[in-house]
Amino acid sequence: MEDAHDCAIVGGGIGGLTAAVYLARFRRTIALLDGANSRARWIPRSRNHPAFPGGVGGDELLSRLRDQLADHGVRPVVDRVEAIAREPHGVFLLRRASGAETRARTLVLATGVSDIEPPIADAFEAVKAGLVRHCPICDAYEMIDKRLAVLGRGDHCVGEALFLRGYTPDIVALTNGAALACGEGGRARLEAAGIRLVEVPIAAVLREADETGVVVRLADGAEIRVDALYSAMGMRPHSGLAADLGVALAEDGRIPADPHQRTGIDGVWAVGDVVTGLNQLGVAMAQGEIAATDVHNRLRREEW
C-alpha cells in the first residue's frame, strides 16, 4: 500500500474541504477529488451561518476553506470520480474522468446533492439573485412580510409553506397542474393558515425585468407576482458511488451514517448533504470534522 494515500475525499464542497483541512492537520496524506459542482456555489449569502454577522456567500466560504487547505500544502484535484472499487488488499481504487487513478486506505464521500430546479431559464443566476430559494431554514428570516410562492406537489410543499407562514401571510402554494399529493388533510392545513393553493399548470416562470421578483405565468393566462419562489420539488442525492460500493441507501436516496459518520461499509465515511439529516453549512462542517478525526484514529490504531 505504499502508493496509497491515507484518505481520499470525494467532493470539494463544505463538508469535503473541512474533512481535508482536519486530515491535513493530522499530517495525513490525502487526495481531495473535486467535481467542481458543490451546491454551496449556488448560495448568494447565508445569514444564519455562525460567526458571520453580515452573512457569507457560498463561493466566499469555499474559497476560504481552499485557502486554509492550501496553507497545509494540499490543493483539490479538479476531476470527477467515475468509479470506485476495492482491491483485494483493502485499498480503494478511484477511477477518474481524466483517466487517472487514485488509491487510498480510507474513503470519505462528500458527493452532495442537486436541487430539482423550477422551470425557469438561467436557474443558477436566479438562485444567485435570491429570486429562487431552496432553504427556508437558511433564509426565511429575510422573507418577513414578503410575497412568496412555494412550488411542489406533496407533503414537502405543504410543510415548507406552513414553515414560511411564520414569517409572512402572503404565500401561494403551486403544484404546476398536479393534484396536491397529501390529500385533503394538507388542503385543510393550507386553508386554515390562509395559504392559497393553485393547481393550474405553469406556462412560464420569469424574472422581473428589474430583478426584484418573479412572475409565475399560469396556463390559464393568470399571473402571480412574488418576491421569491421557493422550490419544494426535492433533490437528487449524488449517492451512486456509495451504492456501487454496497452502501445501503435511505429511502430518499441519501447515505445513512452513524455518529462517527461511518457508513455501513468498513473504511467508508460520508459527510455533507448526501448524508441523511439537516442540510446546513455548519452541519456539513461538523460532519467533516467528526469523520476526519475518526479516520485518523482508525489509521492510528492500524499503524500502532
Side-chain angles (χ1 to χ4, degrees), residues 221-271:
E223 291 186 346
I224 299 172
R225 283 178 160 78
V226 293
D227 296 300
L229 170 66
Y230 276 85
S231 175
M233 299 171 65
M235 57 191 175
R236 298 185 182 93
H238 301 160
S239 53
L241 293 172
D244 290 344
L245 285 167
V247 175
L249 303 180
E251 187 176 346
D252 63 359
R254 295 198 287 170
I255 302 173
D258 75 3
H260 297 282
Q261 301 306 130
R262 302 168 188 163
T263 70
I265 299 297
D266 184 55
V268 181
W269 288 255
V271 304

Side-chain angles (χ1 to χ4, degrees), residues 63-228:
S63 178
R64 283 172 175 259
L65 282 165
R66 284 192 289 263
D67 289 345
Q68 186 176 6
L69 185 59
D71 287 343
H72 293 86
V74 180
R75 296 186 182 277
V77 175
V78 180
D79 201 354
R80 188 179 69 255
V81 176
E82 295 194 329
I84 305 175
R86 200 158 200 174
E87 298 182 328
H89 50 286
V91 167
F92 294 98
L93 172 64
L94 294 81
R95 295 186 173 89
R96 293 150 43 187
S98 65
E101 295 181 343
T102 298
R103 286 177 169 80
R105 298 163 62 190
T106 59
L107 182 66
V108 174
L109 298 176
T111 45
V113 302
S114 294
D115 292 297
I116 300 175
E117 299 298 336
I120 182 171
D122 300 321
F124 180 79
E125 294 304 322
V127 173
K128 294 288 280 186
L131 301 177
V132 172
R133 295 171 179 255
H134 297 95
C135 179
I137 292 173
C138 306
D139 53 33
Y141 187 86
E142 280 69 49
M143 295 292 103
I144 293 175
D145 294 331
K146 300 287 189 181
R147 303 167 300 164
L148 303 178
V150 179
L151 175 60
R153 297 181 177 180
D155 290 327
H156 188 45
C157 175
V158 173
E160 198 154 301
L162 291 171
F163 182 97
L164 289 163
R165 183 61 183 82
Y167 296 87
T168 178
D170 195 347
I171 303 175
V172 56
L174 307 170
T175 67
N176 195 17
L180 191 66
C182 56
E184 294 305 318
R187 293 173 187 274
R189 293 166 67 201
L190 292 176
E191 183 178 355
I195 298 171
R196 182 160 62 109
L197 175 63
V198 176
E199 295 172 289
V200 179
I202 295 172
V205 180
L206 310 168
R207 296 158 67 182
E208 293 272 24
D210 58 2
E211 298 292 317
T212 59
V214 174
V215 179
V216 180
R217 186 170 296 156
L218 302 176
D220 62 7
E223 291 186 346
I224 299 172
R225 283 178 160 78
V226 293
D227 296 300

